[in-house]
Amino acid sequence: IRGRRKDSFYRRLSVFMSKVIICQNPFEKMWNLFTYFENEEITKNLLYTAYLAREKDKEALTLAYQNTVKFIYLLKQGVTYFEAARNSELMVQPLLLYYGMTSLMKMLILLHDPHYPSSTLVLQHGLTTRKKKKMNYSFFSDVVKIQKDGLLPHFYKTVFAEGLESNKRYVISHLLGLIPELQTCLHMLFKSRTMLPVTVEQRDERTYLFSFAKQDLEQEKLHFSSIYHLFQTAPSDNIKKINILDEQLAIVMKTERPIHPLKPIHNQVYEDYTGKHYFYFKEQAPNLGEIVIYNLIMFVLGMLCRYDTEQWGEIIYSLHSADLFLIKELIQLTLRKFPNIVLNYLYGEKVCFKIV
């Protein structure tokens, strides 16, 4: 490999390994990086470059100019919501976080769709959940449903270039199990986990090695064959070949083309905000991005907070709710991780913040 091809290859490898930023305060450093895009010239160039993929040069420049201020204000609004949530009481945090997510997601849509919003349909939530909760309500057992139209379906189609299944229902406990940072909490509450640590090594631009520890499999009473089965059956249009290395408790995966740096390495593999990887072993994982998972969960909490305030108050102020422990962990994680995911999309690479 020579010249430009070699440089491009190593850029892809470095992106896969994530860009690590050493700092004293990850939260403050993360938000400081957002201010880079509050400059009109920088944002206009960002939009112009993105629009060139689908518009002619002159139209791309015009649309970038028209959307620059809108993009910046959506960014500032999202940041303001998250900062307000960080400094507010738990009573209103979910609502502030959900609308902060909404602003940042609209910003990402505008990066891909210069004509957004083209209709009032895309301004709806795109989600539904029971507004008036039943007696003996449990957050873990609540359900959220994706609608045909609205912000979330439009976001997924525009940013991920894929469609979400309409009228698909998700149980909150299932969605929580897809978040690696909550594994300790889930184990404390339910004495079970849904993920195993997995070491991921990229051997070349299309070959990946997934290694598991024997003690982790034994702890969950799992056979390595079941892990291999999930690797094989997970939907993908990019996997070329999967080989099992039984003695090493490892799996080698070859892909048809290099994996996009912002896409999952495999549908069953998730990454925490420190760059560590986890394998979801309970069943075949749904084809949802992390932004979607957080949005679904926070929509339910936000609507509970807004429309059933009495029930929400009982959860956060009573002494008998089992939901409170995990909800607090979830909110703190959302404050930290969701903006990080959005930042990755703005910079086009994975960014990990580590404390000095």
Side-chain angles (χ1 to χ4, degrees):
I1 302 174
R2 293 184 178 180
R4 187 177 301 173
R5 288 184 61 203
K6 183 176 181 180
D7 291 340
S8 176
F9 170 64
Y10 281 108
R11 273 200 300 272
R12 281 194 290 267
L13 288 185
S14 65
V15 166
F16 171 76
M17 295 301 291
S18 300
K19 180 179 180 179
V20 178
I21 297 178
I22 306 299
C23 54
Q24 292 183 338
N25 191 322
F27 194 90
E28 295 298 336
K29 183 64 176 179
M30 177 178 64
W31 285 116
N32 285 342
L33 288 177
F34 275 99
T35 61
Y36 175 74
F37 296 100
E38 292 183 9
N39 178 277
E40 287 191 25
E41 191 64 27
I42 289 172
T43 293
K44 184 174 70 176
N45 290 333
L46 174 72
L47 295 175
Y48 170 66
T49 302
Y51 295 165
L52 274 177
R54 56 184 62 83
E55 305 285 345
K56 294 181 179 179
D57 183 83
K58 187 176 180 180
E59 286 78 7
L61 186 60
T62 301
L63 289 166
Y65 178 79
Q66 292 173 349
N67 288 332
T68 293
V69 174
K70 184 192 297 185
F71 184 96
I72 292 174
Y73 282 150
L74 284 170
L75 170 61
K76 291 177 74 68
Q77 186 179 62
V79 170
T80 302
Y81 269 123
F82 267 81
E83 287 181 343
R86 185 186 180 196
N87 296 313
S88 68
E89 296 292 329
L90 180 59
M91 188 70 176
V92 295
Q93 278 183 318
L95 202 57
L96 293 170
L97 284 175
Y98 175 72
Y99 283 107
M101 289 180 177
T102 298
S103 297
L104 294 178
M105 289 167 67
K106 287 179 179 179
M107 178 192 69
L108 289 182
I109 291 175
L110 197 60
L111 184 62
H112 295 80
D113 179 6
H115 305 287
Y116 176 80
S118 57
S119 73
T120 56
L121 288 176
V122 298
L123 298 177
Q124 302 169 8
H125 295 298
L127 299 169
T128 182
T129 187
R130 184 188 294 272
K131 291 182 179 178
K132 187 65 178 176
K133 307 302 181 182
K134 297 180 180 179
M135 294 294 291
N136 301 319
Y137 170 78
S138 169
F139 171 62
F140 304 119
S141 304
D142 208 342
V143 175
V144 58
K145 184 168 70 173
I146 297 175
Q147 297 178 315
K148 180 181 178 181
D149 299 305
L151 173 67
L152 185 60
H154 185 68
F155 171 86
Y156 201 81
K157 183 178 180 180
T158 304
V159 178
F160 295 154
E162 298 178 24
L164 282 172
E165 185 178 347
S166 299
N167 297 317
K168 177 71 175 179
R169 296 161 62 91
Y170 292 98
V171 180
I172 294 300
S173 59
H174 184 195
L175 295 173
L176 292 171
L178 299 171
I179 300 177
E181 291 90 344
L182 294 180
Q183 290 299 300
T184 299
C185 296
L186 293 173
H187 185 261
M188 290 175 67
L189 287 170
F190 306 113
K191 308 305 178 187
S192 66
R193 295 182 177 89
T194 58
M195 291 182 174
L196 292 175
V198 55
T199 301
V200 182
E201 176 189 346
Q202 186 172 5
R203 293 189 162 179
D204 59 49
E205 61 177 342
R206 299 186 186 183
T207 305
Y208 302 83
L209 178 69
F210 302 84
S211 303
F212 296 84
K214 183 178 180 181
Q215 62 266 28
D216 290 330
L217 291 168
E218 290 177 345
Q219 187 175 17
E220 299 300 330
K221 298 179 180 179
L222 283 173
H223 293 290
F224 190 54
S225 58
S226 64
I227 301 294
Y228 180 56
H229 176 72
L230 286 171
F231 257 96
Q232 286 185 309
T233 56
S236 174
D237 61 352
N238 192 26
I239 296 178
K240 182 178 181 180
K241 189 176 182 181
I242 295 179
N243 294 324
I244 185 171
L245 305 176
D246 282 304
E247 293 183 0
Q248 301 177 38
L249 295 180
I251 293 172
V252 179
M253 182 182 78
K254 293 183 179 293
T255 62
E256 295 283 354
R257 55 191 177 276
I259 296 175
H260 189 282
L262 295 180
K263 287 193 174 183
I265 306 165
H266 186 277
N267 201 52
Q268 300 290 133
V269 177
Y270 292 79
E271 187 175 351
D272 67 15
Y273 61 72
T274 67
K276 295 179 181 178
H277 294 89
Y278 296 81
F279 184 86
Y280 182 75
F281 65 82
K282 283 296 184 181
E283 58 188 4
Q284 193 173 94
N287 188 24
L288 299 172
E290 280 191 283
I291 285 183
V292 176
I293 293 171
Y294 279 94
N295 190 250
L296 289 169
I297 297 172
M298 204 53 61
F299 173 77
V300 172
L301 276 184
M303 295 308 103
L304 176 65
C305 173
R306 180 177 181 181
Y307 292 107
D308 203 336
T309 310
E310 182 179 358
Q311 187 70 255
W312 175 237
E314 284 296 311
I315 291 174
I316 64 175
Y317 293 122
S318 69
L319 300 178
H320 59 268
S321 174
D323 293 340
L324 182 59
F325 171 61
L326 198 141
I327 287 174
K328 284 187 173 182
E329 289 287 325
L330 173 67
I331 286 177
Q332 291 304 310
L333 177 60
T334 303
L335 282 165
R336 170 64 181 83
K337 193 173 185 182
F338 189 88
N340 201 155
I341 300 171
V342 173
L343 194 69
N344 294 346
Y345 279 92
L346 285 179
Y347 279 90
E349 62 181 345
K350 294 178 182 175
V351 183
C352 292
F353 299 89
K354 293 192 176 180
I355 300 175
V356 177

